[in-house]
Structure formats: C-alpha cells, structure tokens
Amino acid sequence: MSTRALRRLKGKQRGQEALDLGDVTLGDQPEEQSAGEEEQLEAANVSHPSNSKASNRKAKKNKAQKNVSNIYELIGDADNETEKVSPDEEAEKPGGKKTSGTENNDNRDTEKPDQQKEKTSTQSLSGDRVKKKKKKKKTKVTSEDGQDAVPDDNIDLLLRNLEQSNGLSLQNEDCGGSDRRAVLHVEHRNLNPETELKRYFGARAVQGDQRPRQRNRQFHRSTWMTNPKDSWPRFSRPGISMTLLQSKDGIQYFTFEHSRDYQQVQFKFLDAVESMDPNNIVALLQLNPYHIDSLLQLSDVCRIQEDQEMARDLIERALYSFECAFHPLFSLTSGNSRLDYLRPENRAFYLALYKHMMFLEKRGCPRTALEYCKLILSLDPDSDPLCMLLLIDFLTLRCREYQGLLQLHQDWEEHRNLSQLPNFAFSTALCHFHLSQQEDVDPEESDKQRHKADLLLQNALIMFPGVLIPLLDLCTVQPDATVTSHAFFGPKSQIGQPPALAELTALYVGRTHSLWREAAVMLWLEESVKEVLRRVDAKDTLVEDCQNKRKQRYQSAPRNIHRHVLLSEIKEATSSLPLEVTSQPVMGFDPLPPLDSVMSYTRPERQHVGATNESTLSLFFRSLLPNFNLQGGGPRQEDDMEVARAGQELNQEVNRLMVAMRDMLANIRFQEPPREDNPYRDEEEWD
C-alpha cells in the first residue's frame, strides 16, 4: 500500500467524513467501556480482514459519539485533525474535497494481507491518540474551585453567579422571599402595551397590515418604554443628562442634570406658565420640541380639552427624551436604581411615568400599568413620593394578579403597616375571595380561602365602617334598612371619622367601586355586613379597639398622600382635601413640591414692571405724564414684598377660578332646541 493511500486512510479516521449530529449523545461514557469496544474491534478486524474497514469506520464513529460531552467539542476535534493533513495531500485533492467512496473501494481491492495488519495497527494507534486527547480535554473542563462544570452549560447558574459577584441578586417575578426588590421586579416586555394588546386581540389586529414607509422615515433610537413615531420632530439632545451620585449596599443613586442652555429654556417656560396663556407654551415647544415640563403642561391642557390622543403622544415624547438620557448603569428592571424626588430635575420623570401609567389604565392595559406602577415605586420605595401604595392594589386586582398582591402585603406589612390603609384592608380580603372562586382549586383549599376572606372583610368593615355606605351608593345598590338605621354604619360613622381617614376612604371608594359591582362579590359583602352587625351588637372587643385606633391615628395625612389625591383627580377625594392644600396654586408640572427641596440652580429675580401699589389717580397722571412720580422716590423693599404677596394671592384666586370653571364645564348640560311644533312659541317672534 502506498504512503499516499495510508495518509488518506488516516485522514478519514481523524474526523474528515461527514458528521451525523442527530446520532451524537451528550452523556459521558466510562473509559473502560470504550477501551473494551476498541479491543473487540481489533479482534474483529483480524478475523474478518475483508470487512475490516467498514466495521472499523462505523465503530470508530460510534466510539467518538459516545465519548463526546459537547457537540462543539466533536466539531472542534474534527477541525483540529483536518488542519494536520499534509500539504501534499491537499494538493492531490482538487478543491480540498474529500475522496469518494469508489476510490476507497479500489484501494481496498489492491491491498495485501501484510498491509492489512499494518493498517489495523495504525488504526489502533490513531484511535489511542484521539482517546488521549479527549481525556486531556475532559480534565480541562473544570471550574476554578475544583468543581466539575455542568455539561449542559446552565445559563441561569452562570447569570446568577455573575450577578452575585457584582453584589446583585437575580430577581424573579414569582420570588417568595421577603426582599423588597423581588416584589418590585419589572420585566422589559411588560412595559410595552402592545404585548398586552396582542394577548387580548392577536398580533394581526394590533399591528395591522400597514408597513412603514421607507422614503421619509426618521431613524429614532430604540427604547423600552415608548415606540418613537415618525410624526415626532427630529430628536436632538435637549440638554438633560443623568449622573451616578453614589452606590451603597447594592443600591445605585442617580439624578438628572440640566445643562446651562436647558436652564434658560426652563426659565422661559416658567414665564410662559405665569402668563396663563397656553399659546406661549406651544411657541416654546416649537423651538424646543423635547422640553420636558412644556410637554407635561401642554399634555394637561390637551386632556382638559378632551384631546386624549395628543395628550398621550406628548407624554410618550417626554419619556422618550428621558430614556435617551439614561446613565449606562441605570436599570428599569432590577429595582436597585434610585431617584431622589427632592431634586426638581427628577420630579418630571416621576410625573411622566405616572401620567403614562394612567393613560395605559384608561386604554385597557392594566397589566402594563401595573408594571409602570412597580417601576415608580422602585425608584424610591422608602419615601414613595407619589404614594403608589394607594394604587398598586387596584391595578393588581384589575389584572387578576392575586398572589402578587398577597405577597406584597406579606413582605411589606412589617415595616410599612399596610393593613392600616383602607385599600389594602379591603383588597386583600377581595383577593382571597377571588382565589376561593377559582375552578381549578381544591374544595378544601377553596373553603380555607373563603373563611380567610370572610374574616378579613369583617375586620376591614369594623376598622373602616365609613366605607360601606359610599361604596353602595356608587355601586347603585340600596342598602337594607337595618344597615342604614344602625349607628355603626349610619351617617354618624362618616361624619365622625378623622380628616385623613375621610380622604383615604373617599379615594378608595371612588377608585375601586367598579370591582365590587359583581353579583357574587355583592352577596359576599352582604353576608359579611350582617355578621359585623351581629358582632357589634354582641359588644365584641375588636369594635372598641378599632374605634380607639381611629381616634388616635389619621389626624393629618402626609404631603405625598395629598399629592396622590391631586394627581388622581377623583372628585370624591379632592373634595376632602384640607384647606392648606386647596388654597395654594397647584401646577401640573410640579404639584405640591416638597418643602425641603434640593435646588441645584435658582431662577433669577424678575423685574416687576408696572406692578406697583399706586392708586388709580396716580396711574392716571402717569398715563398723561410718564415722568410723574407721586411717591417721589424709587420703590421700597416693603413695596416689593407687598407686590409679591399680592401676586401670590392673585395666583391663588386664579387657581380657584380655574377649578370652579372646570367643575362647571364638567357638569354643564345643554337643553334640546325648541321644536317647530312648540305651542308656547311667540307668533310675532322673528325667524
């Protein structure tokens, strides 16, 4: 046999034939078994020299497949072996292709018996080299600490180890730990409302058959919270950036910053707001199309004018501008990124997220709105500047995430006392009731959930009796005479409750009354009310205990609750706000700013032209003689203080007037025009 044929035969054994990946197994086989199979193969080749090559190639292929723990290892070995082929052999193969089966048959017919022995010995030697190389590779696949690596390369384990090395822990949505970050875990795909709409109506109904036009299409940056539209102005950096302040205990604290040019635009915006003319804000947006506060304020104007589409589009544009300014380390989903609400630059991001969340909830996407609610809460869970704990239970019930709400109540009850809020007291009972009504629950588990729901609802009614009658009124349900005539649920229970509790009660009833209109829920509520009246008549000790708690607590609500009530725009709740809140002007771009705000830059003082306390006669003479000055000197400091105080009072009066005008326009009813056959029409009336 020639040396060329021998090299070609060795090349075949080194993995140059086609690999059948369907037969490759990933399990590791013992080395003793492979060695035994090789010895049987050599014995078979000696006894049957005619069939030696076919059986040898098949056995070698099976041996290689059994000893492989990774598909890519086999492919790598084949590549390494093919690289060792001599240049003479590559020159003899036209185009670097493999030899065909007919050439192998011709060589097999011309072989001699002594060459058969040489071939079998060469095969065993080459097989031992491949075996030793694979043994050496297997010894290398170990971790640094001496543990064997997982053969399947567990991706979740690698990610968990990577995040633990950075001081973070992997956040799962269904995590049952007491860590707050697990409850506030956000998923990127749930921030897109199209994900929820596709689940309801299908992808074809949501996307439609329209294809984007490629001619005049603008290229925007891809973001998580919004989908940029081609109708938006061309984006340019508006002057907002984000800076990392510090990292402490795995929590990263960020803040937005305004450039010098953006500060000048902000001053012009404040001047436009004080002019009380929306056209000035529109003119400012034409020059600066991505100014945040202008977008928020104009969105409120469009919403009052019932232009919901334009209002939502302005909010999305503001969110897009914010997301383009994110720091590389800022994460929407980890729950470890913080923004301080005390800084005015960060408040606009909170408000933009809140307004976008409310638009999503009205659009019929409660699951997406819940994700944004958790995002807002994760930005500052300790202070909760927008008081999202008063809203998260409603959104959770809307999207039927009952276990998530119960997990939040269990994890946060110890340090936040969520049971003292009326919304959590009633919503947790409602969660257990809905869990007991599910069809795939065992009867024993259903009875357990129903008993717990009854107990929680009774305790909630005893603690907050002022919820029942307003709730039944909004549900258009006439209460029983025994309930209305009883002193516990009568008018006395609503009049005698503290102001802060009245505000929380009105907020919960006005927001969640639609969840109690179901027939099964109303029957369950009726049974619980009867049981509560029986316990009250029996002089249960819990009734007196809850009464003492109501007198001691809920005397005054914190500022974040007032801010939440103003943003909610629920009439039942806004009417219960204290006078110190309603008497001051409320701006849509910054409602009720914190009293201890951290100002990074201040607005320069304006010159009050013509704003003096001169009399009418003095102003008349000044109109005739511009140089006339009755006071004989410049304005004093006391006059400036009086002018500033007068301007503040004017703003308060204008704010009250706008609130009254808004209520009047909301309650106005137009009468039908008189018909032609009106018998009371005056005949002498002109047509």
Side-chain angles (χ1 to χ4, degrees):
M1 181 178 180
S2 62
T3 57
R4 184 180 65 181
L6 187 59
R7 284 201 204 99
R8 192 171 299 166
L9 184 59
K10 291 180 181 179
K12 279 286 185 178
Q13 295 172 357
R14 290 176 182 174
Q16 289 190 358
E17 59 184 281
L19 297 175
D20 189 4
L21 297 180
D23 298 332
V24 176
T25 58
L26 300 179
D28 295 337
Q29 299 292 337
E31 298 295 338
E32 293 80 8
Q33 182 179 357
S34 61
E37 291 177 359
E38 188 176 356
E39 292 177 357
Q40 294 178 2
L41 176 65
E42 293 177 357
N45 290 338
V46 173
S47 59
H48 302 283
S50 60
N51 299 330
S52 61
K53 186 172 182 179
S55 60
N56 190 14
R57 183 168 63 250
K58 185 176 181 180
K60 290 289 183 179
K61 180 180 178 181
N62 293 334
K63 182 183 73 66
Q65 293 174 359
K66 290 180 181 180
N67 291 334
V68 170
S69 62
N70 194 346
I71 298 176
Y72 304 101
E73 182 180 351
L74 180 60
I75 298 176
D77 291 341
D79 295 338
N80 294 334
E81 294 296 335
T82 54
E83 292 176 357
K84 296 181 180 180
V85 181
S86 61
D88 298 335
E89 183 181 355
E90 291 294 332
E92 292 175 1
K93 294 181 182 180
K97 295 183 180 180
K98 303 175 184 178
T99 56
S100 60
T102 56
E103 294 177 355
N104 294 336
N105 294 332
D106 296 338
N107 294 331
R108 184 180 59 187
D109 294 336
T110 57
E111 287 177 352
K112 297 181 180 180
D114 56 344
Q115 292 178 351
Q116 290 285 344
K117 296 180 181 180
E118 182 181 1
K119 182 187 71 172
T120 54
S121 61
T122 308
Q123 289 174 356
S124 61
L125 291 175
S126 61
D128 293 337
R129 284 198 301 268
V130 176
K131 178 179 175 182
K132 290 180 180 179
K133 181 182 292 185
K134 291 181 178 179
K135 281 185 178 181
K136 189 177 297 182
K137 285 190 175 183
K138 285 184 179 180
T139 56
K140 291 181 180 179
V141 186
T142 55
S143 58
E144 296 180 357
D145 53 354
Q147 298 179 356
D148 295 338
V150 181
D152 297 335
D153 293 337
N154 194 341
I155 303 300
D156 296 335
L157 182 60
L158 295 176
L159 290 176
R160 190 179 297 111
N161 294 334
L162 180 61
E163 292 191 355
Q164 286 177 357
S165 62
N166 294 332
L168 304 176
S169 59
L170 188 63
Q171 301 299 328
N172 295 324
E173 188 175 6
D174 55 351
C175 181
S178 60
D179 191 6
R180 283 186 252 173
R181 293 173 297 179
V183 180
L184 302 180
H185 175 61
V186 180
E187 293 186 5
H188 276 135
R189 62 184 182 90
N190 291 331
L191 293 175
N192 189 357
E194 291 186 359
T195 304
E196 187 172 3
L197 293 176
K198 289 177 183 178
R199 192 184 310 124
Y200 295 153
F201 308 106
R204 180 174 298 180
V206 174
Q207 295 178 351
D209 298 333
Q210 298 180 358
R211 296 181 179 178
R213 298 179 180 179
Q214 301 292 337
R215 178 173 298 177
N216 296 326
R217 185 181 178 185
Q218 299 182 13
F219 294 94
H220 295 276
R221 176 181 174 182
S222 178
T223 56
W224 289 109
M225 295 187 292
T226 57
N227 293 323
K229 301 178 181 178
D230 295 335
S231 59
W232 288 359
R234 184 177 299 276
F235 179 77
S236 60
R237 296 286 180 180
I240 299 179
S241 60
M242 180 180 280
T243 305
L244 175 63
L245 296 178
Q246 63 175 345
S247 297
K248 184 178 180 181
D249 298 334
I251 305 298
Q252 297 172 336
Y253 297 88
F254 298 88
T255 183
F256 286 100
E257 291 183 349
H258 294 170
S259 64
R260 191 173 299 274
D261 295 337
Y262 192 90
Q263 294 177 12
Q264 299 299 324
V265 178
Q266 186 73 12
F267 298 152
K268 295 179 182 178
F269 165 74
L270 296 178
D271 295 340
V273 170
E274 291 181 356
S275 67
M276 314 253 338
D277 188 2
N279 294 324
N280 294 334
I281 303 178
V282 174
L284 184 63
L285 272 178
Q286 290 178 354
L287 299 177
N288 306 275
Y290 288 93
H291 181 253
I292 303 298
D293 288 345
S294 300
L295 293 171
L296 297 180
Q297 191 71 21
L298 190 60
S299 175
D300 290 341
V301 175
C302 295
R303 185 171 49 82
I304 294 174
Q305 297 177 355
E306 297 184 356
D307 190 357
Q308 303 293 333
E309 186 67 25
M310 187 63 183
R312 185 172 66 246
D313 186 77
L314 293 173
I315 296 297
E316 291 180 357
R317 198 195 302 180
L319 286 177
Y320 177 75
S321 180
F322 271 123
E323 193 166 358
C324 290
F326 279 173
H327 193 275
L329 297 179
F330 184 80
S331 175
L332 295 171
T333 59
S334 64
N336 299 323
S337 301
R338 300 288 185 267
L339 284 174
D340 192 2
Y341 194 81
L342 298 179
R343 298 178 179 270
E345 297 86 351
N346 298 336
R347 296 173 197 164
F349 185 58
Y350 278 89
L351 296 174
L353 289 175
Y354 183 90
K355 295 176 185 295
H356 185 58
M357 175 192 64
M358 297 309 297
F359 279 125
L360 290 173
E361 192 270 332
K362 294 178 181 178
R363 191 181 175 185
C365 301
R367 183 65 184 86
T368 310
L370 175 62
E371 211 71 9
Y372 278 94
C373 181
K374 294 191 295 184
L375 173 59
I376 298 173
L377 187 58
S378 67
L379 294 177
D380 195 353
D382 296 328
S383 302
D384 193 10
L386 299 186
C387 210
M388 303 308 297
L389 289 177
L390 298 178
L391 177 63
I392 191 171
D393 62 304
F394 170 68
L395 296 176
T396 307
L397 289 172
R398 279 285 310 273
C399 59
R400 300 176 183 177
E401 298 283 343
Y402 306 125
Q403 293 293 346
L405 181 60
L406 295 179
Q407 186 67 41
L408 174 65
H409 181 267
Q410 179 182 354
D411 294 347
W412 288 42
E413 171 63 22
E414 183 178 356
H415 63 279
R416 297 299 291 269
N417 296 325
L418 298 182
S419 58
Q420 297 182 10
L421 298 175
N423 59 319
F424 269 93
F426 284 91
S427 296
T428 51
L430 198 57
C431 279
H432 285 288
F433 175 76
H434 285 299
L435 289 176
S436 66
Q437 299 296 315
Q438 293 180 354
E439 298 179 355
D440 56 346
V441 180
D442 297 336
E444 183 178 356
E445 181 67 20
S446 178
D447 295 340
K448 182 180 178 181
Q449 294 286 349
R450 179 60 183 270
H451 177 70
K452 195 169 186 178
D454 295 341
L455 184 60
L456 289 175
L457 182 58
Q458 293 172 18
N459 295 338
L461 289 172
I462 292 175
M463 184 65 190
F464 309 104
V467 174
L468 180 63
I469 300 301
L471 181 62
L472 295 178
D473 291 341
L474 291 179
C475 293
T476 63
V477 174
Q478 183 67 28
D480 195 355
T482 58
V483 177
T484 55
S485 60
H486 201 282
F488 189 74
F489 288 118
K492 184 179 179 181
S493 63
Q494 302 178 22
I495 298 175
Q497 57 185 355
L501 182 58
E503 185 177 349
L504 292 174
T505 300
L507 179 67
Y508 174 73
V509 172
R511 173 174 286 156
T512 62
H513 62 89
S514 59
L515 302 176
W516 294 84
R517 288 182 175 177
E518 299 181 10
V521 176
M522 196 57 64
L523 290 176
W524 169 58
L525 178 61
E526 182 181 0
E527 296 175 359
S528 299
V529 169
K530 292 180 180 179
E531 182 63 24
V532 167
L533 291 179
R534 187 192 64 79
R535 295 175 61 179
V536 171
D537 295 338
K539 305 238 177 148
D540 194 344
T541 57
L542 181 62
V543 178
E544 185 177 358
D545 186 20
C546 292
Q547 185 177 1
N548 295 331
K549 290 180 180 179
R550 287 196 302 270
K551 292 180 180 180
Q552 296 175 2
R553 306 168 183 171
Y554 312 107
Q555 294 301 322
S556 62
R559 197 172 179 85
N560 59 342
I561 293 182
H562 298 327
R563 189 182 298 116
H564 179 87
V565 171
L566 288 173
L567 291 174
S568 66
E569 297 183 352
I570 298 177
K571 296 181 180 180
E572 294 82 3
T574 53
S575 60
S576 61
L577 286 171
L579 184 61
E580 61 268 13
V581 176
T582 56
S583 60
Q584 57 181 322
V586 178
M587 299 299 176
F589 65 93
D590 191 8
L592 289 184
L595 301 177
D596 53 348
S597 300
V598 180
M599 306 295 295
S600 59
Y601 62 93
T602 56
R603 182 185 179 187
E605 296 182 1
R606 299 181 59 193
Q607 297 292 334
H608 299 279
V609 180
T612 62
N613 57 348
E614 298 179 0
S615 62
T616 306
L617 184 62
S618 176
L619 293 176
F620 173 72
F621 281 111
R622 180 180 287 273
S623 65
L624 297 178
L625 301 173
N627 296 329
F628 175 80
N629 188 1
L630 182 63
Q631 299 175 355
R636 296 175 299 175
Q637 185 176 3
E638 292 81 2
D639 298 337
D640 293 340
M641 295 295 295
E642 293 179 1
V643 170
R645 192 180 302 107
Q648 185 177 3
E649 293 178 357
L650 178 61
N651 289 336
Q652 295 178 3
E653 295 297 332
V654 171
N655 184 63
R656 293 177 184 175
L657 180 61
M658 291 187 65
V659 172
M661 290 280 294
R662 189 182 305 166
D663 295 340
M664 184 186 69
L665 292 175
N667 298 326
I668 194 172
R669 297 290 184 273
F670 295 98
Q671 296 181 355
E672 297 182 359
R675 296 178 296 178
E676 295 296 334
D677 55 349
N678 188 3
Y680 301 100
R681 182 181 178 184
D682 190 1
E683 296 180 357
E684 297 180 358
E685 183 180 0
W686 290 357
D687 292 336

